[in-house]
Amino acid sequence: QVQLVESGGGLVQAGGSLRLSCAASGSIFRINAMGWYRQAPGEQRELVATITNEGNTNYSDSVKGRFTISRDNAKNTVYLQMNSLKPGDTAVYYCNALVAPTLFRVSTYYWGQGTQVTVSS
């Protein structure tokens, strides 16, 4: 089994910054990609940013230029640096990873439990 643990969420004023971390552990042969998603109350979960094993990144238009995703492959960890935060960024942020548990098993998406980010006006 694979586990993802997020950390770094909290309360911040508009214009402030937070840095989220997500560490993967368990049966991991290869992490093909990792990403961050978020879900606000009453809304669907949406993509924030993704990063491949090769370092290619993708951002949603709403966070482009403000957020930066990065990863440390040796630590199986992905980060999300969030700058210029807005009240609209308030949501539960979920870590996601596409993981191949072994050489012979199909890759599977795993989700963390989420970390709350609250941006006050």
Side-chain angles (χ1 to χ4, degrees):
Q1 186 61 260
V2 175
Q3 294 181 335
L4 304 178
V5 180
E6 302 100 331
S7 63
L11 175 65
V12 65
Q13 290 185 319
S17 299
L18 286 173
R19 181 177 172 86
L20 305 183
S21 299
C22 173
S25 62
S27 181
I28 300 174
F29 173 73
R30 176 184 175 88
I31 300 179
N32 297 294
M34 301 186 78
W36 290 95
Y37 295 73
R38 67 187 183 186
Q39 187 169 22
E43 300 182 9
Q44 293 185 329
R45 188 172 300 185
E46 64 175 351
L47 168 73
V48 177
T50 60
I51 185 168
T52 68
N53 187 59
E54 295 75 25
N56 297 319
T57 59
N58 181 52
Y59 298 91
S60 69
D61 291 337
S62 62
V63 307
K64 192 174 299 182
R66 299 187 297 120
F67 293 6
T68 302
I69 188 170
S70 61
R71 66 186 297 176
D72 186 335
N73 292 346
K75 298 181 179 180
N76 291 329
T77 300
V78 64
Y79 307 93
L80 185 67
Q81 179 66 47
M82 305 185 294
N83 299 325
S84 301
L85 283 164
K86 306 174 181 179
D89 296 320
T90 296
V92 177
Y93 283 70
Y94 296 92
C95 179
N96 174 264
L98 180 58
V99 180
T102 72
L103 178 64
F104 306 105
R105 295 198 176 198
V106 66
S107 297
T108 304
Y109 284 100
Y110 292 89
W111 292 93
Q113 290 297 107
T115 184
Q116 177 69 49
V117 172
T118 302
V119 184
S120 62
S121 301

